[in-house]
Amino acid sequence: MRTVVINTGTEILLGDVVNAHLAFIAREIFEFGLRVDEQRTVSDGAAIAVALRDIFSRAEIVFVTGGLGPTTDDVTREIVAELLQLDLVEDTTVREAIHDRLSTRHIPVTKRVWRQAQVPIGAEVLPNEGGTAPGLYLPANVNSAVSSPHLFLLPGPPRELQPIFRQSVAPILRRITAGLRPPAMRKFQLAVMGESIVEKKVGAKILAIPGIELGYCSRPGEVEVRVSGSPEAVEAAERIIQSELADTIFTTEDETLAAVVVRLLSERGETLAVAESCTGGLLSHQITNVVGASKVFLAGSVAYSNEEKIRALGVAASSIERFGAVSEQVALEMAEGARIAAQATHSISTTGIAGPTGGTTEKPVGTAFIAIASMNRTPICRNFFVPSDRETFKQLLAQNAFDLLRRRLLS
Amino acid sequence: MRTVVINTGTEILLGDVVNAHLAFIAREIFEFGLRVDEQRTVSDGAAIAVALRDIFSRAEIVFVTGGLGPTTDDVTREIVAELLQLDLVEDTTVREAIHDRLSTRHIPVTKRVWRQAQVPIGAEVLPNEGGTAPGLYLPANVNSAVSSPHLFLLPGPPRELQPIFRQSVAPILRRITAGLRPPAMRKFQLAVMGESIVEKKVGAKILAIPGIELGYCSRPGEVEVRVSGSPEAVEAAERIIQSELADTIFTTEDETLAAVVVRLLSERGETLAVAESCTGGLLSHQITNVVGASKVFLAGSVAYSNEEKIRALGVAASSIERFGAVSEQVALEMAEGARIAAQATHSISTTGIAGPTGGTTEKPVGTAFIAIASMNRTPICRNFFVPSDRETFKQLLAQNAFDLLRRRLLS
C-alpha cells in the first residue's frame, strides 16, 4: 500500500528543528509490511491543501503531522475537512479532555483551544495523553462522494505523536494491512568496510535473486546492508552475504560496534582499559554510551602529550625519542601500560596524527597506530593511514580499534 | 526565489537515518535571503524524476541530495542529465581526483567509481574533499531547449555535503541572489538554557519589533537564538538579548562551547586536565574535536570505577566510603587530583548516575556533581539533577561543565 508522510510546520523548513517524524513513522510501520514511498515538508497553510490534493490520487495511506493546535496557523483539520467535504462538529469527549487537562494545570482557557475539539464527521478520535490536540483518523473514502486514502492527522510534538502512534494508530494499521504479507527483512552491519567494496563483493549476486531489494547505509567505518523480499529471497541473499563477508559482520541487530564489544567482554567476564592519544576520548565515550559498560570498562586515559604518555601510561621516554610518539613501539607500550595499571584483561591504544597540522613526509596527517594488549596473549599493532577531517579520522580509528578487539575476542 | 530541497535515499524513507540535510541547508541559505518553501524525500530511482518534473515548473532553486555515489542505486546524475537532455562526459580533473584519493588510501579501484567522474555538459563541478563524488551545479536553463531552475546536486553523506556547501555552493548562491536584498541576521548561542525560558525572557519583546523574525534551535544544553530583518530591527533585538541574557551567550559565531573553552585557554596560555566518571570520555572527545586542542589539553582520565578514582586520580578511599562516589567531596578530589597530576592550570571533574540503573532514593538516576579546580583559586562544585537517557545526560553535563569553566575563565 502506497504510503506518504506529509510534515507541516515552518519550524522544520527554517531548520529550527530536525524532522524526526519520518524516521519514527518509517520504523513503526515496517512491521505491517508498509514503507514510506514519499515524504514532504510543507509550510503551514495553503501548501498543505496543494500537497494533499497532489498525493490523494496516488496514495493509500497518508500521515499528516502538525497543524492541529490552537493557534491561527494550525489549519490541518480545517483543510482536510474542506478537501473531503465533511462538516466539523464539536466532540464533547475531546472538549472535556481539554478542559480537564487545562484546569489541572491551571492554564487559562482561551476561546481558541476549543478548535481542537472539532472533529470531521466520520473521523475517529485518537486520544492524546500528552497534549490538548487529539489525533484524527479518517478511513479511506470516508465521504463516499470523494475518493480519499486512509488519512491520519497527528500532532506535531514528537512526545505527543509517538504515544498516539503506538496506542491508537498501530492497531488501525494492523486492521488495514491484515491482508498483506509483510516482507521478510534482514540487516547486516559490517565493520571497517566501504560501500563500494561491499557492493563489488555481493551486489550483483544479490540483485540476481528475483524479487530482492538491496540497500546500503554507510557511516564512518561501517556499512549496513539491508535485504528484503520474500523469506526465500532474503535467505538466499543472507547466504551470499555470509559466504563473502561473514567475518566483517559485527551484528544483525540494532546495536553499535562498541555495544558488541561490551557484550562480548561481558559474556566472557573480561574487562577493558583504553589509552587514547589521537582518538582523544572517543573510544571511552562510545563504550560508556552502552548500558552496562561499567561492568567491563575499568579505565580510560587520554594522553595527548608525550609527558602524559610517560606519566600516566608508563611509556619509555627513550621509545618516544627513538621511534616518535606515533609509532608501533609507543602504541604497544601505551596499551600494555594501560592494561597493567588497570589490571584489565584487554586494552586498546591509539596514537596518530589527526591534523590538520603536525604531519611530516614520513608520517603524514592521517597516519595512526592501534595496539591491542591482552592478558596471556601476544599484543598486536596495526598501522593505518586515514587522511580525513579530524572528526572522521577519530571515528574511523575508533571503528578499527573496536573491530580489532572484536576479532580478538572471537578468535 | 522559490527554493525546494529534494532528498533521495531509501535509508531516509526507511528511517535508518534522520534527514539532517533540510535543517542544514535551511540555515545556510538564510543569509542570502532564501528559505526552503518545500522539501521532499523520494526513494532512489524513477521517483527522483517524477519529483523533479513536478517541481521544475514552480521552483527557482533546487537542491538534490544523494544518489551521486558509485553504486547501482546512485542515479541522480543520470536522471538529471536525461531530464535536461544533456550528454554526460567524463571530466578528467574529477577522474584524477578520484584516482588520487583512492590510491593514497590504497582502496582498490572498481570500474563503477568512474561513473562519479561523469559530468553533464554545462554543469559546474563542486569539488568534494571528503569523498569521491563531486557536487554539480547546473545553472538555470543550462540547456536552452529545456526550462529548468538552478540545480545543485550534492552527495548524501553530511560530512561531504556540508563542506561542499560552504566552499562552493554559497558563492554561487551569493551570485544568484545578488539582486535580492538579504536580511540582516544575528545569532546567539546560549549555554545551559532551555528554549521556553529564553522565549519567556525575550520572546514577546523581540516579536514586538516591527519586521523582525525570530527563530530558536535547541540542542542538549544549549539554545541558538536567531533574529533577522532590517539592520535596525536586528540591532534592537540584539539589545534586548544582550540585556536579558548576556552572561549565557557563549558565542555569536559557528563554534562549539568546547571550542570557546579551548580558545579562552589558548589566549590565556593556560592548560586543562579532565577527570570523568559519568561523562565517560565525552569531555575529552569534545575538547579534542577542536583544532589546536593539543596546545591546552594535557590529560584526560575516565575513571568509572572506584578503584580507578583512587588509583589514577588520588581520591581518598575514605571519601568514597563516607560520601559515596557521586558526591561533592569526591568530585572535588577528582578535579584536584587530575589537575595536580597533569600540572594543569584548570581541571574539570564529573561524577554522577547516568542510569538506567544505579539510582537510589537519595541519589536518583540523573544526579551529578561537576567540580572545577584551578591553580591559586578556590575550587567550585555544582550539583545537578538531569534525569534523561544516557546520551542526553552526558551531553547536558558536558555543556554544564564547559560553561562553568567558561565563566571561570571570564571572571
Side-chain angles (χ1 to χ4, degrees):
Chain A
M1 294 177 86
R2 206 175 151 83
T3 303
V4 176
V5 173
I6 296 182
N7 304 114
T8 75
T10 24
E11 73 280 10
I12 300 177
L13 288 174
L14 283 171
D16 288 343
V17 298
V18 168
N19 178 5
H21 292 319
L22 172 58
F24 172 79
I25 292 174
R27 288 171 163 268
E28 293 291 313
I29 67 176
F30 195 87
E31 65 168 303
F32 305 113
L34 299 175
R35 55 175 65 193
V36 180
D37 293 284
E38 189 182 337
Q39 173 267 346
R40 296 191 190 184
T41 310
V42 293
S43 56
D44 310 307
I48 304 172
V50 172
L52 280 173
R53 219 175 270 125
D54 186 28
I55 57 89
F56 258 29
S57 57
R58 58 176 202 266
E60 286 158 279
I61 299 177
V62 176
F63 300 98
V64 183
T65 70
L68 298 177
T71 66
T72 40
D73 59 357
D74 289 314
V75 291
T76 303
R77 191 186 297 101
E78 288 72 17
I79 283 171
V80 166
E82 201 185 316
L83 273 179
L84 299 183
Q85 300 166 27
L86 296 172
D87 286 333
L88 285 163
V89 289
E90 188 172 271
D91 183 298
T92 47
T93 318
V94 176
R95 190 184 170 102
E96 273 165 34
I98 294 172
H99 178 267
D100 289 354
R101 186 178 178 84
L102 296 179
S103 63
T104 9
R105 284 170 178 70
H106 310 292
I107 298 170
V109 172
T110 62
K111 211 176 144 194
R112 287 198 188 291
V113 302
W114 304 122
R115 294 179 59 209
Q116 300 169 102
Q118 297 280 318
V119 172
I121 287 175
E124 188 177 320
V125 169
L126 315 174
N128 181 357
E129 284 165 22
T132 43
L136 295 168
Y137 164 55
L138 296 113
N141 308 318
V142 55
N143 175 358
S144 55
V146 183
S147 160
S148 69
H150 295 280
L151 199 51
F152 295 89
L153 312 185
L154 302 167
R159 61 177 188 81
E160 298 181 26
L161 181 146
Q162 296 183 4
I164 293 177
F165 205 100
R166 292 188 169 131
Q167 280 154 33
S168 304
V169 176
I172 298 171
L173 291 178
R174 187 164 292 118
R175 210 167 68 211
I176 297 173
T177 58
L180 302 178
R181 194 175 150 216
M185 185 183 90
R186 287 280 275 161
K187 58 182 169 186
F188 305 87
Q189 302 210 43
L190 314 181
V192 191
M193 288 299 271
E195 191 174 315
S196 57
I197 299 171
V198 175
E199 191 180 30
K200 199 179 165 192
K201 287 205 173 200
V202 301
K205 284 186 205 167
I206 291 176
L207 287 172
I209 302 168
I212 199 81
E213 285 200 60
L214 171 64
Y216 303 100
C217 180
S218 296
R219 288 176 290 266
E222 60 188 62
V223 174
E224 184 181 293
V225 180
R226 230 173 331 141
V227 289
S228 63
S230 69
E232 303 72 40
V234 167
E235 238 172 69
E238 177 164 8
R239 276 194 298 274
I240 294 165
I241 293 167
Q242 289 286 359
S243 83
E244 294 284 339
L245 295 160
D247 66 326
T248 71
I249 302 170
F250 67 87
T251 186
T252 55
E253 307 291 327
D254 275 319
E255 55 183 347
T256 62
L257 181 51
V260 171
V261 166
V262 168
R263 178 164 54 70
L264 293 174
L265 287 167
S266 226
E267 287 166 6
R268 285 159 180 70
E270 297 182 339
T271 55
L272 177 66
V274 306
E276 307 184 59
S277 181
C278 63
T279 48
L282 179 58
L283 294 180
S284 289
H285 173 50
Q286 291 192 343
I287 287 278
T288 60
N289 277 348
V290 182
V291 172
S294 55
K295 285 202 188 66
V296 303
F297 181 55
L298 299 187
S301 171
V302 183
Y304 243 42
S305 66
N306 291 345
E307 295 70 35
E308 186 67 10
K309 290 183 182 79
I310 296 165
R311 186 191 72 77
L313 298 167
V315 172
S318 59
S319 300
I320 296 177
E321 192 151 322
R322 188 162 161 208
F323 302 103
V326 177
S327 64
E328 177 168 338
Q329 180 62 30
V330 169
L332 286 167
E333 288 184 32
M334 287 171 69
E336 206 56 82
R339 195 188 71 72
I340 289 168
Q343 298 180 39
T345 325
H346 306 274
S347 67
I348 308 176
S349 73
T350 64
T351 179
I353 302 155
T357 58
T360 62
T361 324
E362 210 186 315
K363 289 177 185 167
V365 167
T367 304
F369 293 84
I370 296 173
I372 309 267
S374 304
M375 201 177 279
N376 305 324
R377 288 177 77 171
T378 313
I380 53 169
C381 184
R382 296 278 179 277
N383 185 1
F384 295 87
F385 180 56
V386 282
S388 19
D389 65 278
R390 222 172 147 85
E391 287 189 48
T392 309
F393 173 83
K394 288 169 72 176
Q395 294 282 354
L396 288 172
L397 284 182
Q399 291 302 95
N400 275 288
F402 289 136
D403 196 49
L404 274 178
L405 179 58
R406 178 185 73 89
R407 287 167 183 262
R408 165 154 280 203
L409 292 171
L410 291 174
S411 68
Chain B
M1 293 177 85
R2 204 175 153 81
T3 302
V4 175
V5 174
I6 298 182
N7 304 113
T8 75
T10 25
E11 72 280 11
I12 299 177
L13 288 174
L14 284 169
D16 288 341
V17 298
V18 168
N19 179 5
H21 291 319
L22 172 59
F24 172 79
I25 292 174
R27 295 158 70 89
E28 292 292 314
I29 67 177
F30 193 89
E31 65 168 304
F32 305 112
L34 299 174
R35 53 178 62 195
V36 179
D37 293 285
E38 188 182 340
Q39 173 267 346
R40 298 193 188 182
T41 310
V42 294
S43 56
D44 310 307
I48 303 173
V50 172
L52 281 173
R53 219 175 271 124
D54 186 28
I55 58 91
F56 258 29
S57 57
R58 57 176 201 267
E60 286 158 279
I61 299 177
V62 176
F63 299 98
V64 184
T65 70
L68 299 177
T71 66
T72 40
D73 59 356
D74 290 314
V75 292
T76 302
R77 193 186 295 102
E78 289 72 15
I79 283 172
V80 165
E82 202 185 314
L83 272 179
L84 300 183
Q85 300 167 27
L86 296 172
D87 285 333
L88 285 163
V89 289
E90 189 173 271
D91 183 299
T92 48
T93 318
V94 177
R95 190 184 170 101
E96 273 165 34
I98 294 171
H99 178 268
D100 289 353
R101 185 177 178 86
L102 297 179
S103 64
T104 7
R105 283 168 179 72
H106 310 294
I107 298 170
V109 171
T110 62
K111 211 175 141 194
R112 289 199 188 290
V113 303
W114 304 122
R115 293 179 57 211
Q116 300 169 102
Q118 297 280 320
V119 172
I121 286 175
E124 187 176 323
V125 169
L126 314 174
N128 181 356
E129 282 166 22
T132 45
L136 295 168
Y137 164 55
L138 296 112
N141 308 318
V142 54
N143 175 358
S144 56
V146 183
S147 160
S148 68
H150 294 279
L151 198 51
F152 294 89
L153 313 185
L154 301 167
R159 66 181 183 83
E160 298 181 25
L161 181 146
Q162 295 182 5
I164 293 177
F165 206 100
R166 291 188 169 133
Q167 281 153 35
S168 303
V169 176
I172 297 171
L173 290 177
R174 186 165 294 119
R175 211 168 66 212
I176 296 174
T177 58
L180 305 176
R181 192 175 152 223
M185 184 182 86
R186 286 281 276 161
K187 56 184 170 188
F188 305 86
Q189 301 209 43
L190 314 181
V192 191
M193 287 298 271
E195 191 174 315
S196 58
I197 299 172
V198 176
E199 192 177 25
K200 204 176 161 192
K201 287 204 172 201
V202 300
K205 284 186 205 166
I206 291 177
L207 287 172
I209 302 168
I212 199 81
E213 285 201 57
L214 171 63
Y216 303 101
C217 180
S218 297
R219 288 176 291 267
E222 59 188 63
V223 174
E224 183 182 295
V225 179
R226 233 172 329 112
V227 289
S228 64
S230 69
E232 304 72 41
V234 167
E235 237 172 72
E238 178 164 6
R239 277 194 298 273
I240 294 165
I241 294 168
Q242 289 286 1
S243 83
E244 294 285 338
L245 296 159
D247 66 326
T248 71
I249 302 170
F250 67 87
T251 186
T252 55
E253 307 292 325
D254 274 319
E255 55 183 347
T256 62
L257 181 52
V260 171
V261 167
V262 168
R263 178 164 54 71
L264 293 175
L265 287 167
S266 227
E267 287 166 5
R268 285 158 181 70
E270 298 183 338
T271 56
L272 177 66
V274 305
E276 307 184 59
S277 181
C278 63
T279 47
L282 179 58
L283 294 180
S284 290
H285 173 49
Q286 291 192 344
I287 286 278
T288 60
N289 277 349
V290 182
V291 172
S294 55
K295 285 202 189 68
V296 303
F297 181 55
L298 299 187
S301 171
V302 183
Y304 242 40
S305 66
N306 291 345
E307 295 70 34
E308 187 66 10
K309 290 183 182 79
I310 296 165
R311 186 192 72 77
L313 299 167
V315 172
S318 59
S319 300
I320 295 177
E321 193 152 321
R322 185 159 163 212
F323 302 102
V326 178
S327 63
E328 176 167 339
Q329 179 61 29
V330 169
L332 287 167
E333 288 185 31
M334 287 172 69
E336 206 55 82
R339 195 189 71 73
I340 290 168
Q343 298 180 37
T345 327
H346 306 274
S347 67
I348 308 175
S349 73
T350 64
T351 179
I353 303 155
T357 59
T360 62
T361 325
E362 208 184 318
K363 289 176 186 167
V365 167
T367 304
F369 293 84
I370 297 173
I372 309 266
S374 303
M375 200 177 280
N376 305 324
R377 288 179 74 173
T378 314
I380 53 169
C381 184
R382 296 277 179 278
N383 184 2
F384 294 87
F385 181 56
V386 282
S388 22
D389 65 278
R390 219 173 150 85
E391 287 189 47
T392 310
F393 172 84
K394 288 169 74 176
Q395 295 282 353
L396 288 172
L397 284 182
Q399 292 303 96
N400 274 289
F402 289 136
D403 195 49
L404 274 178
L405 179 57
R406 178 185 74 88
R407 287 167 183 263
R408 166 154 280 203
L409 292 171
L410 291 174
S411 68

